[in-house]
Amino acid sequence: MAPIQVKKICCIGAGYVGGPTCAVIALKCPHITVTIVDLNQARVDAWNSPNFELPIYEPGLVDVVREARGRNLFFSTDVDKGIQEADLIFVSVNTPTKKSGVGAGFAADLNYVELATRRIAAVASTSKIVVEKSTVPCRTAESMRTILEANSKPEARFDILSNPEFLAEGTAIDDLFAPDRVLIGSLQTQEGKDACAALTEVYANWVPKERILTVGLWSSELSKLAANAMLAQRISSINALSAICEATGANIDEVAFAVGKDSRMGPKFLKASVGFGGSCFQKDILNLVYLSESLHLPEVAAYWKQVVEMNEYQKRRFSKRVVDTLFNTITGKRIAVLGFAFKADTGDTRESAAITLIKNFQDEKALINIYDPQVVESQIWQDLQEVSPNVSLENIQKQVTIKKSALEACKGAEAIVIATEWKEFRDINWEEVYESMNKPAFVFDGRLLVDSDKLRKIGFKVTSIGRGERV
């Protein structure tokens, strides 16, 4: 059987992965109709908003949606219609870490994946290619196939592919336009290879074929977890070294630069910080830990778990340094936290280091001003409530205030904590900030963003992560 020609694509899930990915597919493949479906009416309404106030912030995304929406890109809550009409279906739903039950705190919660799979089986009356786009544990496709085969109509057959995303938030559109690689995993049967060829042809509309890698289904699933775990491992490694730098007087930027010049390693992901965040790194490592434990490999599980433990240590260590520097107490002192997103150029706050820092400052009875240029107020309050479930929102708001600008956040503060590397924090009028603060005025740079020497000349007491005070 020859590979089918994909003419209609449905993506289940209009979030950070499904939305940008399928918008770019629509842009690059004007001959393919792409429908992104989601049960969340407010989210779909945002994707369809006439002024393009999209539900997620990603540089370049508005331009993509503006060009393709209404031509061959559509957003809808009619999930069943999307499934029925599609030749190929991406499953791009959330797979958070389980909060209760077996594997709580480590295993991925596949409830949404299963619900989407069951819906496909119930609705589809013709054969479909079903593509895992969500980050899932190894051999999830086997479970999906079992559900589809047990519940499908006689005239419908399903081929399952794994097509993990390797996007970095903040550069997702560039990553989609010119990916390092597109990975497609399939069963090594003729039907599986034909389905793989069909998806390959979709990407080949703009991705060079040598960058489209085709592998076995299980290798593809594991590759996404492996990639994120090894990237996070680099961050935790450089953060561990930053603690040594602070104790010895070394400079972590200089160490990272020297290490990164080694062609075997390169410079990427060697930037010390207050800790990594985002939807993928911690979740995928914990998933790998759970998988290792399930396979009775405790030493492997302990190895990967340490990457997460080092990340948590870095956040605790940075919080403690703020308290220690401010004369061992921040009770009643006002701290300006600049940045709430887990990284610059995104509005995503999942696992953001800022959340942990602010929680630690709350525990120390500090008063906190927060400013972030992209994160909406409702998301900040939601995150702070989740991390302090026993504290009412009313009591949280007695300690925490959300400000409309960096200058406003810093006014009257004893200290500034840079938690996200937004470019605007480097470029603000630091002289004006200094004049508006209580003295001595402290800056704690958790992202190695600002020019420390310049700020010291203004009068600030500056503490930068990974830079010791010894000469």
Side-chain angles (χ1 to χ4, degrees):
M1 186 180 82
I4 69 160
Q5 184 177 2
V6 176
K7 296 179 179 177
K8 290 190 175 183
I9 289 174
C10 171
C11 176
I12 301 176
Y16 278 93
V17 174
T21 300
C22 287
V24 168
I25 289 175
L27 179 73
K28 298 293 188 179
C29 307
H31 57 288
I32 297 176
T33 300
V34 179
T35 303
I36 302 173
V37 297
D38 199 295
L39 293 175
N40 186 322
Q41 183 70 58
R43 181 179 293 166
V44 171
D45 288 346
W47 282 109
N48 285 322
S49 63
N51 55 355
F52 295 93
E53 291 186 1
L54 306 183
I56 62 176
Y57 172 74
E58 191 65 47
L61 178 58
V62 168
D63 296 332
V64 173
V65 174
R66 181 179 279 115
E67 186 168 342
R69 195 178 72 186
R71 181 191 72 185
N72 66 318
L73 173 64
F74 304 93
F75 299 90
S76 173
T77 55
D78 193 343
V79 176
D80 290 359
K81 182 183 178 189
I83 292 171
Q84 286 169 339
E85 294 182 350
D87 306 308
L88 182 148
I89 301 168
F90 285 109
V91 177
S92 187
V93 295
N94 195 18
T95 54
T97 301
K98 287 183 72 174
K99 292 184 177 179
S100 61
V102 176
F106 293 92
D109 186 343
L110 300 179
N111 180 48
Y112 296 121
V113 172
E114 182 174 337
L115 288 173
T117 305
R118 289 186 180 278
R119 197 69 207 153
I120 293 168
V123 170
S125 55
T126 57
S127 297
K128 313 285 182 188
I129 297 172
V130 179
V131 184
E132 289 176 339
K133 199 68 182 168
S134 305
T135 302
V136 294
C138 195
R139 302 196 79 91
T140 298
E142 196 168 51
S143 303
M144 293 175 70
R145 186 173 58 164
T146 300
I147 292 169
L148 290 169
E149 289 177 351
N151 296 280
S152 62
K153 297 177 175 64
E155 62 274 19
R157 68 178 302 277
F158 300 97
D159 292 298
I160 297 182
L161 301 176
S162 166
N163 176 217
E165 53 84 17
F166 295 98
L167 308 178
E169 289 185 48
T171 60
I173 301 303
D174 289 340
D175 295 342
L176 287 162
F177 281 0
D180 291 336
R181 79 291 204 196
V182 172
L183 186 63
I184 305 173
S186 69
L187 290 176
Q188 298 304 293
T189 61
Q190 189 56 52
E191 293 85 356
K193 291 178 180 178
D194 287 343
C196 182
L199 182 55
T200 297
E201 287 306 311
V202 172
Y203 283 113
N205 282 282
W206 78 96
V207 180
K209 285 222 172 170
E210 62 270 18
R211 292 194 179 188
I212 303 174
L213 312 181
T214 58
V215 299
L217 199 52
W218 321 128
S219 296
S220 176
E221 288 181 333
L222 186 56
S223 293
K224 174 62 191 299
L225 298 182
N228 278 343
M230 295 186 79
L231 290 173
Q233 178 194 50
R234 283 174 70 100
I235 297 173
S236 279
S237 294
I238 204 69
N239 282 344
L241 290 167
S242 76
I244 298 175
C245 287
E246 290 169 26
T248 60
N251 183 321
I252 191 61
D253 270 347
E254 293 174 347
V255 173
F257 180 76
V259 171
K261 283 295 183 181
D262 189 323
S263 61
R264 294 168 298 177
M265 287 183 280
K268 293 185 178 180
F269 283 79
L270 290 179
K271 187 74 171 176
S273 71
V274 70
F276 61 74
S279 63
C280 292
F281 281 0
Q282 179 161 312
K283 180 185 75 173
D284 289 356
I285 294 171
L286 294 175
N287 210 327
L288 204 55
V289 170
Y290 185 70
L291 175 64
S292 302
E293 289 176 343
S294 300
L295 296 171
H296 307 293
L297 301 169
E299 292 84 1
V300 176
Y303 176 83
W304 288 112
K305 190 175 181 181
Q306 188 59 37
V307 174
V308 174
E309 289 179 352
M310 179 54 63
N311 195 53
E312 293 304 311
Y313 164 73
Q314 185 77 341
K315 289 182 277 189
R316 289 195 307 272
R317 193 173 70 82
F318 188 74
S319 299
K320 184 176 184 299
R321 199 169 184 200
V322 171
V323 176
D324 290 349
T325 305
L326 289 175
F327 316 111
N328 296 314
T329 180
I330 57 173
T331 300
K333 294 178 181 176
R334 189 163 296 280
I335 311 292
V337 177
L338 299 185
F340 196 85
F342 85 91
K343 63 183 285 191
D345 295 322
T346 180
D348 194 352
T349 64
R350 286 174 289 183
E351 305 295 343
S352 174
I355 298 172
T356 304
L357 296 180
I358 292 165
K359 170 68 166 60
N360 293 343
F361 298 155
Q362 286 176 273
D363 291 344
E364 294 285 341
K365 305 292 191 295
L367 303 173
I368 303 115
N369 290 348
I370 301 171
Y371 167 68
D372 188 284
Q374 285 297 330
V375 181
V376 296
E377 285 194 20
S378 58
Q379 186 63 55
I380 294 175
W381 295 128
Q382 180 182 323
D383 289 335
L384 294 182
Q385 280 185 284
E386 283 184 6
V387 79
S388 299
N390 298 321
V391 182
S392 69
L393 178 58
E394 183 181 3
N395 283 332
I396 291 172
Q397 291 175 337
K398 289 177 182 177
Q399 279 184 269
V400 179
T401 309
I402 300 172
K403 299 295 186 179
K404 298 294 186 184
S405 72
L407 288 172
E408 192 181 338
C410 297
K411 189 174 182 179
E414 261 86 7
I416 297 168
V417 171
I418 299 175
T420 310
E421 68 279 21
W422 288 104
K423 183 178 180 292
E424 71 172 80
F425 300 156
R426 189 172 59 231
D427 299 334
I428 59 179
N429 187 334
W430 283 103
E431 287 87 355
E432 185 178 345
V433 169
Y434 182 75
E435 291 302 320
S436 74
M437 291 179 65
N438 290 335
K439 309 299 186 296
F442 295 87
V443 172
F444 297 89
D445 187 359
R447 295 290 176 177
L448 296 176
L449 182 72
V450 297
D451 184 334
S452 301
D453 291 337
K454 175 186 171 184
L455 266 59
R456 288 191 181 102
K457 287 176 183 176
I458 293 171
F460 287 102
K461 307 288 187 183
V462 183
T463 298
S464 299
I465 205 156
R467 292 178 185 167
E469 299 303 320
R470 297 185 185 182
V471 178

